[in-house]
């Protein structure tokens, strides 16, 4: 079992930055790939970024590439999402998720690739 708790959301002006944090409980955290998803009102939950269990490789949605950075600290059971140059269209509830790495990024960009989810944290970007 892995429990995930997100924090760090808030209100920021366009062009600003926020850092989201996801704290995980469970002894097997380091064996999971971790991902961030987001869901805006009236829209489907969409993939944002993912990182392998070792932290050696990351994958990003085109919409955030070059602006967001995902990282993890397995010693602290934490995964971070640094968000820079924020845009109003980044406004959403952001969710942290944990899933088993199967050798391909494709499943890790989909909700079905993850077994555990956090409760979400709101990010609002004003124009």
């Amino acid at each position: 079992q892995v429990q995930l708790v997100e924090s760090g959301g808030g209100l920021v002006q366009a062009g600003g930055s926020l850092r989201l944090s996801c704290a995980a409980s469970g002894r097997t955290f380091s064996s999971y790939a971790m991902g961030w998803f987001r869901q805006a009102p009236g829209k489907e939950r969409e993939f944002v970024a993912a990182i392998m269990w070792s932290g050696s490789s990351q994958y990003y949605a085109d919409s955030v590439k070059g602006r967001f950075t995902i990282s993890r600290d397995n010693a602290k059971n934490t995964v971070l999402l640094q968000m820079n140059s924020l845009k109003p269209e980044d406004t959403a509830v952001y969710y942290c998720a944990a899933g088993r790495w199967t050798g391909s990024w494709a499943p890790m960009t989909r909700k079905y690739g993850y077994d555990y989810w956090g409760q979400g944290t709101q990010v609002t970007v004003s124009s």
Side-chain angles (χ1 to χ4, degrees), residues 57-91:
S57 184
Q58 306 83 34
Y59 193 82
Y60 297 91
D62 288 343
S63 59
V64 306
K65 202 172 295 182
R67 300 188 299 123
F68 291 11
T69 302
I70 187 171
S71 61
R72 68 188 296 163
D73 185 337
N74 287 340
K76 296 181 179 179
N77 280 14
T78 300
V79 61
L80 302 175
L81 185 68
Q82 178 67 42
M83 305 186 296
N84 299 327
S85 302
L86 282 161
K87 305 175 181 180
E89 51 263 44
D90 294 319
T91 295

PDB file of all heavy atoms in Angstrom, residues 57-91:
ATOM      1  N   SER A  57      15.120   8.916 -15.289  1.00  0.00           N
ATOM      2  CA  SER A  57      14.462   9.304 -16.530  1.00  0.00           C
ATOM      3  C   SER A  57      13.103   9.915 -16.224  1.00  0.00           C
ATOM      4  O   SER A  57      12.406   9.470 -15.310  1.00  0.00           O
ATOM      5  CB  SER A  57      14.315   8.085 -17.442  1.00  0.00           C
ATOM      6  OG  SER A  57      13.759   8.451 -18.686  1.00  0.00           O
ATOM      7  N   GLN A  58      12.748  10.935 -17.003  1.00  0.00           N
ATOM      8  CA  GLN A  58      11.479  11.625 -16.833  1.00  0.00           C
ATOM      9  C   GLN A  58      10.768  11.749 -18.183  1.00  0.00           C
ATOM     10  O   GLN A  58      11.411  11.667 -19.232  1.00  0.00           O
ATOM     11  CB  GLN A  58      11.687  13.037 -16.254  1.00  0.00           C
ATOM     12  CG  GLN A  58      12.477  13.096 -14.972  1.00  0.00           C
ATOM     13  CD  GLN A  58      13.974  13.078 -15.204  1.00  0.00           C
ATOM     14  OE1 GLN A  58      14.469  13.607 -16.181  1.00  0.00           O
ATOM     15  NE2 GLN A  58      14.699  12.425 -14.296  1.00  0.00           N
ATOM     16  N   TYR A  59       9.484  11.980 -18.099  1.00  0.00           N
ATOM     17  CA  TYR A  59       8.692  12.131 -19.322  1.00  0.00           C
ATOM     18  C   TYR A  59       7.656  13.209 -19.072  1.00  0.00           C
ATOM     19  O   TYR A  59       7.085  13.284 -17.983  1.00  0.00           O
ATOM     20  CB  TYR A  59       8.009  10.805 -19.659  1.00  0.00           C
ATOM     21  CG  TYR A  59       7.435  10.745 -21.045  1.00  0.00           C
ATOM     22  CD1 TYR A  59       8.237  10.440 -22.127  1.00  0.00           C
ATOM     23  CD2 TYR A  59       6.084  10.982 -21.263  1.00  0.00           C
ATOM     24  CE1 TYR A  59       7.710  10.373 -23.404  1.00  0.00           C
ATOM     25  CE2 TYR A  59       5.546  10.918 -22.533  1.00  0.00           C
ATOM     26  CZ  TYR A  59       6.361  10.615 -23.601  1.00  0.00           C
ATOM     27  OH  TYR A  59       5.839  10.555 -24.862  1.00  0.00           O
ATOM     28  N   TYR A  60       7.430  14.069 -20.081  1.00  0.00           N
ATOM     29  CA  TYR A  60       6.548  15.213 -19.909  1.00  0.00           C
ATOM     30  C   TYR A  60       5.512  15.306 -21.018  1.00  0.00           C
ATOM     31  O   TYR A  60       5.772  14.925 -22.170  1.00  0.00           O
ATOM     32  CB  TYR A  60       7.358  16.513 -19.913  1.00  0.00           C
ATOM     33  CG  TYR A  60       8.345  16.629 -18.778  1.00  0.00           C
ATOM     34  CD1 TYR A  60       9.656  16.184 -18.922  1.00  0.00           C
ATOM     35  CD2 TYR A  60       7.966  17.169 -17.549  1.00  0.00           C
ATOM     36  CE1 TYR A  60      10.571  16.281 -17.874  1.00  0.00           C
ATOM     37  CE2 TYR A  60       8.870  17.279 -16.497  1.00  0.00           C
ATOM     38  CZ  TYR A  60      10.169  16.826 -16.680  1.00  0.00           C
ATOM     39  OH  TYR A  60      11.055  16.929 -15.633  1.00  0.00           O
ATOM     40  N   ALA A  61       4.369  15.850 -20.673  1.00  0.00           N
ATOM     41  CA  ALA A  61       3.398  16.231 -21.682  1.00  0.00           C
ATOM     42  C   ALA A  61       3.961  17.410 -22.474  1.00  0.00           C
ATOM     43  O   ALA A  61       4.688  18.250 -21.926  1.00  0.00           O
ATOM     44  CB  ALA A  61       2.077  16.616 -21.024  1.00  0.00           C
ATOM     45  N   ASP A  62       3.623  17.467 -23.742  1.00  0.00           N
ATOM     46  CA  ASP A  62       4.129  18.556 -24.589  1.00  0.00           C
ATOM     47  C   ASP A  62       3.746  19.928 -24.040  1.00  0.00           C
ATOM     48  O   ASP A  62       4.504  20.893 -24.166  1.00  0.00           O
ATOM     49  CB  ASP A  62       3.605  18.402 -26.011  1.00  0.00           C
ATOM     50  CG  ASP A  62       4.261  17.251 -26.758  1.00  0.00           C
ATOM     51  OD1 ASP A  62       5.334  16.780 -26.308  1.00  0.00           O
ATOM     52  OD2 ASP A  62       3.688  16.811 -27.757  1.00  0.00           O
ATOM     53  N   SER A  63       2.597  20.008 -23.413  1.00  0.00           N
ATOM     54  CA  SER A  63       2.088  21.293 -22.938  1.00  0.00           C
ATOM     55  C   SER A  63       2.906  21.879 -21.798  1.00  0.00           C
ATOM     56  O   SER A  63       2.813  23.084 -21.525  1.00  0.00           O
ATOM     57  CB  SER A  63       0.628  21.142 -22.492  1.00  0.00           C
ATOM     58  OG  SER A  63       0.522  20.178 -21.466  1.00  0.00           O
ATOM     59  N   VAL A  64       3.706  21.052 -21.122  1.00  0.00           N
ATOM     60  CA  VAL A  64       4.483  21.551 -19.982  1.00  0.00           C
ATOM     61  C   VAL A  64       5.983  21.395 -20.181  1.00  0.00           C
ATOM     62  O   VAL A  64       6.771  21.865 -19.347  1.00  0.00           O
ATOM     63  CB  VAL A  64       4.075  20.846 -18.671  1.00  0.00           C
ATOM     64  CG1 VAL A  64       2.568  20.952 -18.450  1.00  0.00           C
ATOM     65  CG2 VAL A  64       4.524  19.385 -18.646  1.00  0.00           C
ATOM     66  N   LYS A  65       6.384  20.775 -21.262  1.00  0.00           N
ATOM     67  CA  LYS A  65       7.807  20.534 -21.516  1.00  0.00           C
ATOM     68  C   LYS A  65       8.570  21.851 -21.554  1.00  0.00           C
ATOM     69  O   LYS A  65       8.159  22.801 -22.209  1.00  0.00           O
ATOM     70  CB  LYS A  65       7.963  19.777 -22.834  1.00  0.00           C
ATOM     71  CG  LYS A  65       9.253  19.018 -22.976  1.00  0.00           C
ATOM     72  CD  LYS A  65       9.225  18.154 -24.238  1.00  0.00           C
ATOM     73  CE  LYS A  65       8.174  17.081 -24.149  1.00  0.00           C
ATOM     74  NZ  LYS A  65       8.176  16.200 -25.342  1.00  0.00           N
ATOM     75  N   GLY A  66       9.680  21.903 -20.835  1.00  0.00           N
ATOM     76  CA  GLY A  66      10.483  23.119 -20.776  1.00  0.00           C
ATOM     77  C   GLY A  66      10.066  24.079 -19.682  1.00  0.00           C
ATOM     78  O   GLY A  66      10.800  25.021 -19.368  1.00  0.00           O
ATOM     79  N   ARG A  67       8.892  23.858 -19.088  1.00  0.00           N
ATOM     80  CA  ARG A  67       8.406  24.734 -18.008  1.00  0.00           C
ATOM     81  C   ARG A  67       8.322  24.000 -16.680  1.00  0.00           C
ATOM     82  O   ARG A  67       8.541  24.603 -15.620  1.00  0.00           O
ATOM     83  CB  ARG A  67       7.027  25.285 -18.361  1.00  0.00           C
ATOM     84  CG  ARG A  67       6.989  26.114 -19.631  1.00  0.00           C
ATOM     85  CD  ARG A  67       5.628  26.796 -19.818  1.00  0.00           C
ATOM     86  NE  ARG A  67       4.531  25.831 -19.941  1.00  0.00           N
ATOM     87  CZ  ARG A  67       3.469  25.809 -19.140  1.00  0.00           C
ATOM     88  NH1 ARG A  67       3.353  26.682 -18.149  1.00  0.00           N
ATOM     89  NH2 ARG A  67       2.513  24.912 -19.338  1.00  0.00           N
ATOM     90  N   PHE A  68       7.984  22.723 -16.708  1.00  0.00           N
ATOM     91  CA  PHE A  68       7.822  21.928 -15.490  1.00  0.00           C
ATOM     92  C   PHE A  68       8.975  20.933 -15.367  1.00  0.00           C
ATOM     93  O   PHE A  68       9.486  20.429 -16.369  1.00  0.00           O
ATOM     94  CB  PHE A  68       6.511  21.145 -15.527  1.00  0.00           C
ATOM     95  CG  PHE A  68       5.261  21.976 -15.421  1.00  0.00           C
ATOM     96  CD1 PHE A  68       5.280  23.357 -15.520  1.00  0.00           C
ATOM     97  CD2 PHE A  68       4.034  21.352 -15.211  1.00  0.00           C
ATOM     98  CE1 PHE A  68       4.124  24.107 -15.415  1.00  0.00           C
ATOM     99  CE2 PHE A  68       2.856  22.084 -15.110  1.00  0.00           C
ATOM    100  CZ  PHE A  68       2.914  23.460 -15.221  1.00  0.00           C
ATOM    101  N   THR A  69       9.343  20.638 -14.123  1.00  0.00           N
ATOM    102  CA  THR A  69      10.377  19.649 -13.846  1.00  0.00           C
ATOM    103  C   THR A  69       9.908  18.728 -12.733  1.00  0.00           C
ATOM    104  O   THR A  69       9.532  19.199 -11.660  1.00  0.00           O
ATOM    105  CB  THR A  69      11.691  20.318 -13.436  1.00  0.00           C
ATOM    106  OG1 THR A  69      12.133  21.203 -14.470  1.00  0.00           O
ATOM    107  CG2 THR A  69      12.774  19.258 -13.196  1.00  0.00           C
ATOM    108  N   ILE A  70       9.951  17.434 -12.997  1.00  0.00           N
ATOM    109  CA  ILE A  70       9.599  16.449 -11.978  1.00  0.00           C
ATOM    110  C   ILE A  70      10.887  15.863 -11.408  1.00  0.00           C
ATOM    111  O   ILE A  70      11.856  15.624 -12.143  1.00  0.00           O
ATOM    112  CB  ILE A  70       8.691  15.347 -12.559  1.00  0.00           C
ATOM    113  CG1 ILE A  70       8.182  14.426 -11.449  1.00  0.00           C
ATOM    114  CG2 ILE A  70       9.395  14.560 -13.653  1.00  0.00           C
ATOM    115  CD1 ILE A  70       7.110  13.440 -11.921  1.00  0.00           C
ATOM    116  N   SER A  71      10.884  15.641 -10.098  1.00  0.00           N
ATOM    117  CA  SER A  71      12.042  15.040  -9.440  1.00  0.00           C
ATOM    118  C   SER A  71      11.550  14.219  -8.256  1.00  0.00           C
ATOM    119  O   SER A  71      10.396  14.338  -7.850  1.00  0.00           O
ATOM    120  CB  SER A  71      13.032  16.106  -8.989  1.00  0.00           C
ATOM    121  OG  SER A  71      12.433  16.987  -8.045  1.00  0.00           O
ATOM    122  N   ARG A  72      12.437  13.402  -7.700  1.00  0.00           N
ATOM    123  CA  ARG A  72      12.053  12.593  -6.545  1.00  0.00           C
ATOM    124  C   ARG A  72      13.246  12.417  -5.628  1.00  0.00           C
ATOM    125  O   ARG A  72      14.405  12.453  -6.070  1.00  0.00           O
ATOM    126  CB  ARG A  72      11.489  11.238  -6.984  1.00  0.00           C
ATOM    127  CG  ARG A  72      12.494  10.316  -7.623  1.00  0.00           C
ATOM    128  CD  ARG A  72      11.799   9.077  -8.189  1.00  0.00           C
ATOM    129  NE  ARG A  72      11.186   8.264  -7.163  1.00  0.00           N
ATOM    130  CZ  ARG A  72      10.255   7.321  -7.403  1.00  0.00           C
ATOM    131  NH1 ARG A  72       9.844   7.113  -8.650  1.00  0.00           N
ATOM    132  NH2 ARG A  72       9.748   6.611  -6.421  1.00  0.00           N
ATOM    133  N   ASP A  73      12.930  12.196  -4.362  1.00  0.00           N
ATOM    134  CA  ASP A  73      13.929  11.892  -3.347  1.00  0.00           C
ATOM    135  C   ASP A  73      13.445  10.639  -2.635  1.00  0.00           C
ATOM    136  O   ASP A  73      12.576  10.706  -1.759  1.00  0.00           O
ATOM    137  CB  ASP A  73      14.074  13.064  -2.375  1.00  0.00           C
ATOM    138  CG  ASP A  73      15.185  12.863  -1.373  1.00  0.00           C
ATOM    139  OD1 ASP A  73      15.573  11.704  -1.116  1.00  0.00           O
ATOM    140  OD2 ASP A  73      15.670  13.866  -0.814  1.00  0.00           O
ATOM    141  N   ASN A  74      14.007   9.503  -3.007  1.00  0.00           N
ATOM    142  CA  ASN A  74      13.535   8.239  -2.434  1.00  0.00           C
ATOM    143  C   ASN A  74      13.867   8.109  -0.949  1.00  0.00           C
ATOM    144  O   ASN A  74      13.176   7.409  -0.216  1.00  0.00           O
ATOM    145  CB  ASN A  74      14.118   7.062  -3.211  1.00  0.00           C
ATOM    146  CG  ASN A  74      13.469   6.900  -4.574  1.00  0.00           C
ATOM    147  OD1 ASN A  74      12.366   7.403  -4.821  1.00  0.00           O
ATOM    148  ND2 ASN A  74      14.147   6.220  -5.483  1.00  0.00           N
ATOM    149  N   ALA A  75      14.902   8.782  -0.513  1.00  0.00           N
ATOM    150  CA  ALA A  75      15.247   8.742   0.913  1.00  0.00           C
ATOM    151  C   ALA A  75      14.188   9.456   1.753  1.00  0.00           C
ATOM    152  O   ALA A  75      13.982   9.124   2.918  1.00  0.00           O
ATOM    153  CB  ALA A  75      16.609   9.370   1.135  1.00  0.00           C
ATOM    154  N   LYS A  76      13.511  10.435   1.145  1.00  0.00           N
ATOM    155  CA  LYS A  76      12.492  11.199   1.852  1.00  0.00           C
ATOM    156  C   LYS A  76      11.084  10.827   1.418  1.00  0.00           C
ATOM    157  O   LYS A  76      10.110  11.453   1.850  1.00  0.00           O
ATOM    158  CB  LYS A  76      12.718  12.696   1.634  1.00  0.00           C
ATOM    159  CG  LYS A  76      14.026  13.218   2.212  1.00  0.00           C
ATOM    160  CD  LYS A  76      14.169  14.710   1.988  1.00  0.00           C
ATOM    161  CE  LYS A  76      15.459  15.236   2.597  1.00  0.00           C
ATOM    162  NZ  LYS A  76      15.629  16.696   2.374  1.00  0.00           N
ATOM    163  N   ASN A  77      10.959   9.825   0.541  1.00  0.00           N
ATOM    164  CA  ASN A  77       9.644   9.407   0.039  1.00  0.00           C
ATOM    165  C   ASN A  77       8.848  10.592  -0.514  1.00  0.00           C
ATOM    166  O   ASN A  77       7.656  10.773  -0.209  1.00  0.00           O
ATOM    167  CB  ASN A  77       8.836   8.717   1.136  1.00  0.00           C
ATOM    168  CG  ASN A  77       9.245   7.268   1.333  1.00  0.00           C
ATOM    169  OD1 ASN A  77      10.293   6.846   0.845  1.00  0.00           O
ATOM    170  ND2 ASN A  77       8.460   6.518   2.070  1.00  0.00           N
ATOM    171  N   THR A  78       9.508  11.387  -1.343  1.00  0.00           N
ATOM    172  CA  THR A  78       8.891  12.598  -1.854  1.00  0.00           C
ATOM    173  C   THR A  78       9.107  12.726  -3.356  1.00  0.00           C
ATOM    174  O   THR A  78      10.182  12.391  -3.864  1.00  0.00           O
ATOM    175  CB  THR A  78       9.496  13.834  -1.160  1.00  0.00           C
ATOM    176  OG1 THR A  78       9.266  13.735   0.243  1.00  0.00           O
ATOM    177  CG2 THR A  78       8.854  15.119  -1.667  1.00  0.00           C
ATOM    178  N   VAL A  79       8.093  13.220  -4.029  1.00  0.00           N
ATOM    179  CA  VAL A  79       8.220  13.585  -5.432  1.00  0.00           C
ATOM    180  C   VAL A  79       7.773  15.034  -5.584  1.00  0.00           C
ATOM    181  O   VAL A  79       6.814  15.457  -4.932  1.00  0.00           O
ATOM    182  CB  VAL A  79       7.412  12.636  -6.341  1.00  0.00           C
ATOM    183  CG1 VAL A  79       5.943  12.677  -6.028  1.00  0.00           C
ATOM    184  CG2 VAL A  79       7.647  12.954  -7.803  1.00  0.00           C
ATOM    185  N   LEU A  80       8.499  15.785  -6.376  1.00  0.00           N
ATOM    186  CA  LEU A  80       8.251  17.212  -6.541  1.00  0.00           C
ATOM    187  C   LEU A  80       7.879  17.533  -7.977  1.00  0.00           C
ATOM    188  O   LEU A  80       8.285  16.826  -8.914  1.00  0.00           O
ATOM    189  CB  LEU A  80       9.498  18.014  -6.164  1.00  0.00           C
ATOM    190  CG  LEU A  80      10.041  17.814  -4.749  1.00  0.00           C
ATOM    191  CD1 LEU A  80      11.339  18.579  -4.590  1.00  0.00           C
ATOM    192  CD2 LEU A  80       9.035  18.253  -3.716  1.00  0.00           C
ATOM    193  N   LEU A  81       7.120  18.601  -8.146  1.00  0.00           N
ATOM    194  CA  LEU A  81       6.832  19.143  -9.466  1.00  0.00           C
ATOM    195  C   LEU A  81       7.093  20.639  -9.405  1.00  0.00           C
ATOM    196  O   LEU A  81       6.311  21.381  -8.807  1.00  0.00           O
ATOM    197  CB  LEU A  81       5.394  18.867  -9.895  1.00  0.00           C
ATOM    198  CG  LEU A  81       5.058  19.308 -11.322  1.00  0.00           C
ATOM    199  CD1 LEU A  81       5.814  18.440 -12.337  1.00  0.00           C
ATOM    200  CD2 LEU A  81       3.552  19.230 -11.588  1.00  0.00           C
ATOM    201  N   GLN A  82       8.196  21.061  -9.992  1.00  0.00           N
ATOM    202  CA  GLN A  82       8.518  22.473 -10.081  1.00  0.00           C
ATOM    203  C   GLN A  82       7.862  23.041 -11.334  1.00  0.00           C
ATOM    204  O   GLN A  82       8.118  22.554 -12.441  1.00  0.00           O
ATOM    205  CB  GLN A  82      10.035  22.677 -10.143  1.00  0.00           C
ATOM    206  CG  GLN A  82      10.458  24.125 -10.287  1.00  0.00           C
ATOM    207  CD  GLN A  82      10.125  24.958  -9.065  1.00  0.00           C
ATOM    208  OE1 GLN A  82      10.314  24.523  -7.935  1.00  0.00           O
ATOM    209  NE2 GLN A  82       9.633  26.175  -9.282  1.00  0.00           N
ATOM    210  N   MET A  83       7.016  24.047 -11.136  1.00  0.00           N
ATOM    211  CA  MET A  83       6.262  24.619 -12.253  1.00  0.00           C
ATOM    212  C   MET A  83       6.666  26.077 -12.438  1.00  0.00           C
ATOM    213  O   MET A  83       6.463  26.893 -11.529  1.00  0.00           O
ATOM    214  CB  MET A  83       4.757  24.513 -11.970  1.00  0.00           C
ATOM    215  CG  MET A  83       4.304  23.100 -11.664  1.00  0.00           C
ATOM    216  SD  MET A  83       2.512  22.954 -11.504  1.00  0.00           S
ATOM    217  CE  MET A  83       2.213  23.972 -10.064  1.00  0.00           C
ATOM    218  N   ASN A  84       7.248  26.377 -13.571  1.00  0.00           N
ATOM    219  CA  ASN A  84       7.685  27.728 -13.896  1.00  0.00           C
ATOM    220  C   ASN A  84       6.900  28.271 -15.085  1.00  0.00           C
ATOM    221  O   ASN A  84       6.265  27.505 -15.819  1.00  0.00           O
ATOM    222  CB  ASN A  84       9.176  27.746 -14.212  1.00  0.00           C
ATOM    223  CG  ASN A  84      10.031  27.293 -13.053  1.00  0.00           C
ATOM    224  OD1 ASN A  84       9.694  27.517 -11.887  1.00  0.00           O
ATOM    225  ND2 ASN A  84      11.156  26.651 -13.364  1.00  0.00           N
ATOM    226  N   SER A  85       6.969  29.572 -15.272  1.00  0.00           N
ATOM    227  CA  SER A  85       6.287  30.224 -16.405  1.00  0.00           C
ATOM    228  C   SER A  85       4.835  29.769 -16.510  1.00  0.00           C
ATOM    229  O   SER A  85       4.355  29.401 -17.589  1.00  0.00           O
ATOM    230  CB  SER A  85       7.041  29.915 -17.713  1.00  0.00           C
ATOM    231  OG  SER A  85       8.376  30.349 -17.634  1.00  0.00           O
ATOM    232  N   LEU A  86       4.153  29.801 -15.403  1.00  0.00           N
ATOM    233  CA  LEU A  86       2.783  29.297 -15.357  1.00  0.00           C
ATOM    234  C   LEU A  86       1.843  30.137 -16.212  1.00  0.00           C
ATOM    235  O   LEU A  86       2.011  31.366 -16.347  1.00  0.00           O
ATOM    236  CB  LEU A  86       2.291  29.251 -13.917  1.00  0.00           C
ATOM    237  CG  LEU A  86       2.827  28.058 -13.112  1.00  0.00           C
ATOM    238  CD1 LEU A  86       2.696  28.306 -11.626  1.00  0.00           C
ATOM    239  CD2 LEU A  86       2.127  26.780 -13.518  1.00  0.00           C
ATOM    240  N   LYS A  87       0.862  29.447 -16.789  1.00  0.00           N
ATOM    241  CA  LYS A  87      -0.128  30.074 -17.664  1.00  0.00           C
ATOM    242  C   LYS A  87      -1.524  29.841 -17.081  1.00  0.00           C
ATOM    243  O   LYS A  87      -1.732  28.863 -16.345  1.00  0.00           O
ATOM    244  CB  LYS A  87      -0.058  29.447 -19.055  1.00  0.00           C
ATOM    245  CG  LYS A  87       1.316  29.491 -19.698  1.00  0.00           C
ATOM    246  CD  LYS A  87       1.307  28.734 -21.011  1.00  0.00           C
ATOM    247  CE  LYS A  87       2.688  28.738 -21.668  1.00  0.00           C
ATOM    248  NZ  LYS A  87       2.680  27.991 -22.951  1.00  0.00           N
ATOM    249  N   PRO A  88      -2.472  30.683 -17.430  1.00  0.00           N
ATOM    250  CA  PRO A  88      -3.842  30.459 -16.934  1.00  0.00           C
ATOM    251  C   PRO A  88      -4.377  29.071 -17.284  1.00  0.00           C
ATOM    252  O   PRO A  88      -5.129  28.481 -16.494  1.00  0.00           O
ATOM    253  CB  PRO A  88      -4.642  31.555 -17.629  1.00  0.00           C
ATOM    254  CG  PRO A  88      -3.655  32.665 -17.815  1.00  0.00           C
ATOM    255  CD  PRO A  88      -2.357  31.974 -18.125  1.00  0.00           C
ATOM    256  N   GLU A  89      -3.962  28.534 -18.411  1.00  0.00           N
ATOM    257  CA  GLU A  89      -4.431  27.197 -18.800  1.00  0.00           C
ATOM    258  C   GLU A  89      -3.823  26.080 -17.958  1.00  0.00           C
ATOM    259  O   GLU A  89      -4.214  24.920 -18.097  1.00  0.00           O
ATOM    260  CB  GLU A  89      -4.167  26.933 -20.289  1.00  0.00           C
ATOM    261  CG  GLU A  89      -2.752  27.207 -20.740  1.00  0.00           C
ATOM    262  CD  GLU A  89      -2.597  28.581 -21.357  1.00  0.00           C
ATOM    263  OE1 GLU A  89      -3.139  29.564 -20.790  1.00  0.00           O
ATOM    264  OE2 GLU A  89      -1.912  28.679 -22.395  1.00  0.00           O
ATOM    265  N   ASP A  90      -2.889  26.392 -17.083  1.00  0.00           N
ATOM    266  CA  ASP A  90      -2.357  25.405 -16.146  1.00  0.00           C
ATOM    267  C   ASP A  90      -3.255  25.255 -14.915  1.00  0.00           C
ATOM    268  O   ASP A  90      -3.018  24.381 -14.070  1.00  0.00           O
ATOM    269  CB  ASP A  90      -0.950  25.793 -15.674  1.00  0.00           C
ATOM    270  CG  ASP A  90       0.075  25.756 -16.798  1.00  0.00           C
ATOM    271  OD1 ASP A  90       0.034  24.815 -17.620  1.00  0.00           O
ATOM    272  OD2 ASP A  90       0.922  26.662 -16.849  1.00  0.00           O
ATOM    273  N   THR A  91      -4.264  26.098 -14.813  1.00  0.00           N
ATOM    274  CA  THR A  91      -5.190  26.031 -13.678  1.00  0.00           C
ATOM    275  C   THR A  91      -5.912  24.691 -13.656  1.00  0.00           C
ATOM    276  O   THR A  91      -6.517  24.282 -14.652  1.00  0.00           O
ATOM    277  CB  THR A  91      -6.212  27.170 -13.760  1.00  0.00           C
ATOM    278  OG1 THR A  91      -5.535  28.417 -13.618  1.00  0.00           O
ATOM    279  CG2 THR A  91      -7.263  27.038 -12.670  1.00  0.00           C
TER     280      THR A  91
END
